[in-house]
Amino acid sequence: MSNQLRGLARRVGAQLLRNPRVRGGGGEYPGGSFWSEGTQTGRNGFLFGELPPAPGQTRKALWWEPWWYIGYGGTALGIFLIYNAKPLEAFDIRYWANPRAAKELDVEMRMLDKLNERPDLKERLVAVCKDLNLVEEEAYDLVLMRNEYKVRLGLYTGRVPEELKSIYDELEAAE
């Protein structure tokens, strides 16, 4: 079977080489086949080949042009109005981040003060740091990172000791 296919392919290939007639396309295209040279006689030097109107005449707009002008103009007007009518808080980080940061800093400072006042909590936190392969100086960082994604994920999955959660609860407890 493969010898027959090989022979058929050889005959078809030889036939194609002997007959260099261009295949594809048809006579329905102006000027011959699809791949033949175009029928334009020359360039007139104007954009899209459109001649300017004679003096005293106006150019006739195509049906789609007014819709495009209305669309672009409306979009530009909408962007201008939205940008100028927005409240200041919408895009400026200072309006929403400063109060949050001040509140978080206040909570962290109270937690660190409480940690310095209670040596038993500090010893427990240092023990948790040793369990997590952290050095003793990173105990304060562990308090400041209590809302970080990795710490919360560790508490949720059990990779961080439960002792850390109880230390956080004691430090956040109201005085």
Side-chain angles (χ1 to χ4, degrees), residues 46-84:
F46 295 103
L47 184 64
F48 306 122
E50 184 178 321
L51 295 173
Q57 291 182 344
T58 59
R59 180 182 164 274
K60 184 175 183 287
L62 299 175
W63 66 269
W64 53 265
E65 290 180 23
W67 297 106
W68 276 75
Y69 298 145
I70 291 169
Y72 279 120
T75 302
L77 180 67
I79 290 171
F80 177 78
L81 291 176
I82 288 171
Y83 184 75
N84 285 315

Side-chain angles (χ1 to χ4, degrees), residues 9 11 57 59 67 77 89 116 134 137 141 147 157 167:
R11 280 193 300 272
Q57 291 182 344
R59 180 182 164 274
W67 297 106
L77 180 67
E89 299 86 22
N116 287 331
L134 301 172
E137 288 81 25
D141 295 338
N147 285 329
T157 59
I167 293 171

Side-chain angles (χ1 to χ4, degrees), residues 2 13-14 22 69 72-73 81 90 107 117 119-120 129-130 155 161-162 165 175:
S2 66
V22 177
Y69 298 145
Y72 279 120
L81 291 176
V107 170
E117 292 170 2
D120 60 322
C129 284
K130 287 182 183 174
L155 289 171
E162 274 299 314
K165 176 80 169 127
E175 296 176 11

Side-chain angles (χ1 to χ4, degrees), residues 88-161:
L88 288 176
E89 299 86 22
F91 296 123
D92 199 353
I93 192 170
R94 291 175 295 181
Y95 286 97
W96 62 267
N98 274 349
R100 282 188 191 176
K103 182 180 174 187
E104 185 67 21
L105 181 63
D106 184 44
V107 170
E108 288 172 354
M109 294 310 291
R110 278 192 278 121
M111 288 175 71
L112 290 176
D113 288 342
K114 193 182 285 189
L115 186 66
N116 287 331
E117 292 170 2
R118 294 191 46 196
D120 60 322
L121 276 177
K122 188 168 184 176
E123 289 172 13
R124 287 170 49 198
L125 190 60
V126 168
V128 169
C129 284
K130 287 182 183 174
D131 288 346
L132 295 173
N133 294 326
L134 301 172
V135 293
E136 186 175 332
E137 288 81 25
E138 291 178 311
Y140 289 109
D141 295 338
L142 200 55
V143 171
L144 299 178
M145 291 175 19
R146 75 188 190 292
N147 285 329
E148 296 288 327
Y149 175 74
K150 288 181 180 179
V151 174
R152 286 185 177 243
L153 183 65
L155 289 171
Y156 178 76
T157 59
R159 294 182 188 159
V160 175

